[in-house]
Amino acid sequence: MSYIDMHCDTISCLMKQKSETLLKNHFCVDLEKMEVANTGIQFFACFVNAGSYEKDRTIEQKKEANGMRKIKNTIWNKAYADVLKMIERIDGEQNQKLAVATSYQEVQDCLQQGKIVACKTVEEGGVLNGNLERLKELYSKGIRLLTLTWNYANCIGYPNSTDASIMKKGLTPFGIDTIQQMNELGMMIDVSHLSDGGFYDCIRYSKMPICASHSNARGLCKHPRNLSDQMLKMLGEKGGVSGLNFCTYFLREDENVMVDDIAEHAKYMIEKGGEELVALGSDFDGFENPRRENWVNNVNDMPLLWDAFRRKGITERQIDKIMWKNALRFMKETINYK
């Protein structure tokens, strides 16, 4: 059975291990594994960690007059440059079996030709650095989804946090402008990693459905990265989707995670947000994933998840929606919108 995965960090890993390719590597996602797993569409995130650039700055630089502002500009400019390199890397990995698609029609054409579709995304909206022209440039280069924040505050808004005061903060004025520009361009708005206040602002200001590309249910695992019952309900009512995240600490509050825990989140999220809500957002290659039994160690093991869904009483109709129908419908409603 074919499926759509709305988030992986494989490209970021490949940028650090340039001797490996998307055709074959030791990470969780490569073309050979995707062919075996019958992947239909894989979202590839161009991810940057702003904190890693901050660590490169010296104490002396941070003490300079106006130094901190200059450093922040340097950080985001370097991060943006690295995103552009990752976009080039994805484009360069295309071949007869893997093709980038930037519209719903291109997606359909590629699938009919038997190709695996790559959807290019950016994870960390801070790379815009307050400049909407960068958003337009990313769109022109084929980016069709933007994860608004990662784990740091940026020009768009604030991240999820255990600090209640931060979680209440919403989008910045520039963040609201970004949402509206994404609507006009036809880009998917991704609220994974965003504060609760930012989530509700996206619900309020976006004309189109939004997504949480790789987020689970807070009602089952009390991590701030997960979505509350109210958020799941509102996301479903708006026509959005939430991709099941395989990262262990977003599934359980202990270490005894099995594939059935992913299915338990799926069942819960259907109950709270409806069967049109749930999709897949593995987060492969974005977290430590030591190999073990009864687990999705890489894309080869995806059939284990389909079996786990059935054990939890999720119907075949609902499984089809989780695997590909919900994400494909969401893509059709957002990336073609004008």
Side-chain angles (χ1 to χ4, degrees):
M1 293 186 290
S2 184
Y3 70 92
I4 300 171
D5 179 8
M6 297 187 71
H7 188 83
C8 78
D9 287 299
T10 310
I11 295 300
S12 299
C13 293
L14 289 176
M15 297 299 287
K16 299 172 185 176
Q17 299 287 335
K18 295 186 179 181
S19 61
E20 301 202 61
T21 70
L22 197 54
L23 175 64
K24 186 175 182 179
N25 58 60
H26 76 281
F27 302 120
C28 295
V29 180
D30 62 30
L31 184 56
E32 289 189 4
K33 299 185 191 80
M34 287 191 289
E35 285 188 289
V36 172
N38 199 23
T39 304
I41 305 173
Q42 179 65 61
F43 285 47
F44 289 99
C46 300
F47 162 68
V48 288
N49 176 356
S52 65
Y53 299 93
E54 175 73 21
K55 292 175 183 177
D56 291 338
R57 305 288 86 187
T58 65
I59 294 175
E60 288 74 20
Q61 286 174 312
K62 292 178 182 179
K63 288 181 178 178
E64 290 178 358
N66 298 318
M68 186 55 68
R69 184 173 181 178
K70 292 179 181 178
I71 287 170
K72 286 184 178 179
N73 283 333
T74 300
I75 287 170
W76 291 123
N77 291 340
K78 177 65 166 63
Y80 184 68
D82 285 347
V83 163
L84 296 181
K85 291 176 184 177
M86 282 183 260
I87 293 172
E88 290 181 1
R89 180 64 184 268
I90 297 172
D91 290 338
E93 294 278 2
Q94 294 181 90
N95 54 48
Q96 293 181 339
K97 297 180 179 180
L98 178 72
V100 170
T102 59
S103 72
Y104 183 75
Q105 187 58 56
E106 287 182 4
V107 166
Q108 294 287 59
D109 291 344
C110 290
L111 292 175
Q112 289 175 7
Q113 294 165 15
K115 295 181 179 181
I116 295 172
V117 176
C119 181
K120 295 186 291 188
T121 81
V122 169
E123 184 177 23
E124 176 50 277
V127 299
L128 301 182
N129 199 23
N131 184 357
L132 286 179
E133 291 304 312
R134 284 189 176 179
L135 182 69
K136 295 175 184 177
E137 182 179 17
L138 291 175
Y139 182 86
S140 73
K141 292 182 178 295
I143 296 298
R144 290 298 179 267
L145 178 148
L146 178 68
T147 306
L148 302 180
T149 60
W150 190 58
N151 289 348
Y152 306 97
N154 63 26
C155 56
I156 293 174
Y158 300 84
N160 70 91
S161 174
T162 55
D163 185 332
S165 65
I166 293 176
M167 281 292 260
K168 291 178 182 178
K169 291 184 177 182
L171 298 177
T172 66
F174 176 77
I176 295 171
D177 290 343
T178 299
I179 294 302
Q180 294 170 342
Q181 184 66 70
M182 290 176 72
N183 280 170
E184 293 303 314
L185 289 170
M187 292 181 71
M188 292 173 272
I189 296 166
D190 181 15
V191 299
S192 286
H193 289 282
L194 191 61
S195 65
D196 287 5
F199 171 92
Y200 293 120
D201 276 348
C202 287
I203 291 286
R204 180 180 304 113
Y205 291 109
S206 178
K207 298 177 183 177
M208 302 305 298
I210 63 175
C211 74
S213 68
H214 52 303
S215 295
N216 295 333
R218 200 177 296 174
L220 291 182
C221 181
K222 296 179 181 179
H223 196 289
R225 268 281 285 108
N226 289 335
L227 303 177
S228 69
D229 290 357
Q230 182 183 23
M231 294 162 81
L232 292 170
K233 182 176 184 293
M234 295 179 73
L235 189 61
E237 288 175 344
K238 194 176 180 71
V241 294
S242 184
L244 294 164
N245 190 322
F246 301 173
C247 182
T248 55
Y249 43 86
F250 301 149
L251 290 166
R252 290 178 66 113
E253 294 173 41
D254 59 43
E255 297 180 355
N256 300 317
V257 178
M258 298 183 296
V259 68
D260 286 58
D261 291 301
I262 303 174
E264 187 65 32
H265 276 264
K267 184 176 180 180
Y268 185 93
M269 291 161 71
I270 288 172
E271 291 172 353
K272 301 302 179 182
E275 62 182 41
E276 306 294 323
L277 169 71
V278 187
L280 300 171
S282 69
D283 206 7
F284 275 140
D285 296 318
F287 62 97
E288 293 294 326
N289 195 22
R291 189 168 188 84
R292 59 187 190 277
E293 296 297 320
N294 193 29
W295 182 245
V296 279
N297 301 285
N298 56 51
V299 295
N300 280 342
D301 297 323
M302 292 298 279
L304 294 176
L305 184 55
W306 320 148
D307 292 338
F309 287 155
R310 296 184 182 99
R311 286 195 296 272
K312 291 294 180 180
I314 298 173
T315 68
E316 292 299 319
R317 181 190 71 252
Q318 292 169 335
I319 292 173
D320 284 345
K321 290 184 176 183
I322 295 170
M323 288 173 61
W324 62 278
K325 285 185 176 179
N326 288 343
L328 191 63
R329 183 263 309 162
F330 175 76
M331 294 175 71
K332 183 178 182 180
E333 293 178 355
T334 51
I335 61 175
N336 282 359
Y337 172 72
K338 292 294 181 184

